[in-house]
Amino acid sequence: MASPLQGVVVLDMSRVLAGPWSGQLLADLGAQVIKIERPQGGDDTRGWGPPWLEDSLEQGGPREAAYYLCANRGKASVTVDISHPQGQALIRELAAQADILIENFKVGGLARYGLDYASLTASNPRLIGCSITGFGQDGPYAHRAGYDFMIQAMGGLMSLTGEPDGQPMKTGVAITDVMTGLYATVGILAALNERQRTGRGRQIDVSLLDVQVATLANQSLNALVSGASPSRHGNAHPNIVPYEAFPCADGHLVLTVGNDSQFARLAKRLGQPEWASDPAYATNAARVAHRQQLVPMIATLLRRRTRDEWLADFEADGIPAGPINTVSEVFDDPQVRHRGMAFDFIREGARIPQVANPLRFDSQPQVSDRPPPRLGEDTARVLGERLGLDDERLAALRAQGVI
């Protein structure tokens, strides 16, 4: 069965996480993604270890960092030095045949090489360009570099994360980068759809700061509606009670009671059915107002039994709750295993672990069958197939350090 983006060609000139995340998603959806990398070192994340893929070390190959492997499945790696005039010419030729360009250079960074979107569309007006930066193409911060941690701080997320009396905290994953990659992909797919009508591409401008502000979701509206900045609630929810982590006799669980009927079932299971009719607790708004009284009472009751005993009862009662798993425990979870969220590529007998694309089409996983490429492993093939360069020409470019 054909993949949704079969026949679409993507020139991925991005590095680290946000851009490569978008490129990997497009590759999973069937696009041919050509990853352009520096001949020396390639994508920065190739060196962001440990941990390293041990199989690559045992076979005497170049080290491959787990960080790099998380975001580059399905791509062809082509090394090109874009500071060299001949390297710039190669990129222009590849862009002339491409449908999409993804890049995360600083504002104006590609223009100095004549590889900016305006220059490339002169010969390929159908090209869709997606530029990912820290702060966007305009504004007082446009010239600045942006990194996920800094953007979580500037964009308000850290002010919401952590214990009320503790230090503001970032998330355990570079969530702003990941969300930026997803927003970039949405924009690219919208532009592809529009191009069917207009025959022309679009330039998409997506910034980490914009994405972080947009994904504050209910918390941003809490601030705009109330006029007050939300405070940190630790694992608690600012708008729902009980919706947080609780200690049990042997560990912790999370309760996510989202409506009044679920709360009534919880109250009954805890041996306090009268809570469901108490005006102080009967509605979510009342529970939020009286969280300081209610939450400690729930915590006291939950400490009397083990986590798994409570979880079994909550499952039987239809009360949303779950364990707090480690990442290793996540991949041992029966639901996660059933859905095939972890899988392996086998390359030359070496195992390359991967996390699957969560999208399914007609009940089938939508994941590329190509492992993350070694640096430059596809240079000769891609330049030969797409640009017609023969072995002699490729050898000359290699000798000059262009590829």
Side-chain angles (χ1 to χ4, degrees):
M1 182 181 297
S3 297
L5 296 183
Q6 183 174 323
V8 173
V9 177
V10 179
L11 201 58
D12 184 355
M13 296 183 68
S14 66
R15 57 205 179 278
V16 186
L17 189 54
W21 197 262
S22 176
Q24 177 170 269
L25 180 52
L26 295 171
D28 280 342
L29 294 175
Q32 179 184 351
V33 180
I34 302 169
K35 182 178 178 69
I36 303 299
E37 301 190 72
R38 301 185 303 266
Q40 300 299 320
D43 191 316
D44 299 344
T45 60
R46 288 182 179 273
W48 284 11
W52 310 100
L53 183 67
E54 293 300 328
D55 287 333
S56 66
L57 299 177
E58 291 172 2
Q59 295 186 16
R63 297 194 301 182
E64 293 181 297
Y67 203 119
Y68 162 76
L69 296 172
C70 86
N72 289 286
R73 173 177 63 241
K75 305 177 186 180
S77 173
V78 174
T79 51
V80 178
D81 181 356
I82 65 170
S83 68
H84 196 290
Q86 293 187 70
Q88 296 160 19
L90 292 175
I91 296 299
R92 280 192 283 271
E93 289 186 69
L94 289 170
Q97 303 176 22
D99 297 289
I100 298 161
L101 168 70
I102 303 173
E103 56 89 3
N104 63 349
F105 284 74
K106 290 182 182 179
V107 174
L110 283 177
R112 60 190 289 208
Y113 304 116
L115 300 177
D116 54 298
Y117 181 73
S119 298
L120 295 178
T121 52
S123 58
N124 182 7
R126 291 175 56 81
L127 182 67
I128 294 164
C130 182
S131 177
I132 298 172
T133 59
F135 298 96
Q137 297 296 304
D138 50 37
Y141 301 163
H143 64 284
R144 298 185 185 179
Y147 292 88
D148 179 279
F149 185 14
M150 179 175 72
I151 299 298
Q152 287 194 39
M154 294 181 67
L157 183 59
M158 286 183 64
S159 76
L160 305 171
T161 308
E163 294 297 330
D165 56 352
Q167 187 181 80
M169 297 293 291
K170 68 178 180 66
T171 63
V173 172
I175 195 65
T176 309
D177 275 343
V178 171
M179 291 299 299
T180 300
L182 294 177
Y183 269 99
T185 304
V186 171
I188 288 167
L189 295 178
L192 271 176
N193 182 69
E194 182 188 54
R195 194 180 70 176
Q196 293 179 339
R197 302 193 310 272
T198 67
R200 299 188 66 85
R202 286 271 203 156
Q203 184 175 19
I204 301 163
D205 170 11
V206 57
S207 85
L208 272 66
L209 183 60
D210 290 351
V211 168
Q212 180 56 82
V213 173
T215 53
L216 291 175
N218 62 298
Q219 292 283 41
S220 61
L221 265 293
N222 288 347
L224 293 173
V225 168
S226 69
S229 292
S231 58
R232 295 192 301 278
H233 288 271
N235 286 317
H237 195 288
N239 305 110
I240 309 172
V241 173
Y243 200 100
E244 60 186 274
F246 289 93
C248 303
D250 63 346
H252 288 75
L253 58 77
V254 165
L255 267 177
T256 54
V257 174
N259 58 54
D260 297 339
S261 63
Q262 291 173 358
F263 179 73
R265 294 197 294 274
L266 172 67
K268 181 178 179 181
R269 173 57 66 180
L270 294 177
Q272 306 294 324
E274 68 279 2
W275 286 353
S277 57
D278 189 326
Y281 311 128
T283 67
N284 181 69
R287 292 192 294 275
V288 171
H290 296 90
R291 74 165 74 224
Q292 299 302 325
Q293 295 79 37
L294 178 61
V295 168
M297 291 191 294
I298 294 174
T300 297
L301 294 170
L302 290 178
R303 285 193 183 95
R304 296 177 180 177
R305 301 174 67 202
T306 67
R307 181 195 73 172
D308 289 347
E309 288 173 335
W310 281 120
L311 288 176
D313 285 345
F314 292 158
E315 172 72 16
D317 293 341
I319 300 167
I324 301 175
N325 289 329
T326 65
V327 176
S328 296
E329 288 171 337
V330 167
F331 290 109
D332 283 333
D333 185 279
Q335 181 67 21
V336 174
R337 291 169 61 186
H338 174 81
R339 297 287 287 182
M341 288 304 298
F343 70 99
D344 294 333
F345 285 120
I346 304 298
R347 182 181 64 194
E348 300 172 3
R351 185 179 72 90
I352 303 175
Q354 290 284 282
V355 179
N357 179 348
L359 296 176
R360 292 190 174 207
F361 284 66
D362 298 325
S363 302
Q364 296 301 311
Q366 193 66 47
V367 181
S368 172
D369 59 3
R370 289 174 54 93
R374 292 192 174 106
L375 178 61
E377 72 172 53
D378 302 289
T379 302
R381 177 183 63 80
V382 171
L383 297 183
E385 292 175 357
R386 302 201 69 83
L387 306 185
L389 302 188
D390 58 21
D391 290 343
E392 182 178 356
R393 178 65 175 142
L394 290 168
L397 291 171
R398 194 171 288 112
Q400 297 172 69
V402 178
I403 63 175

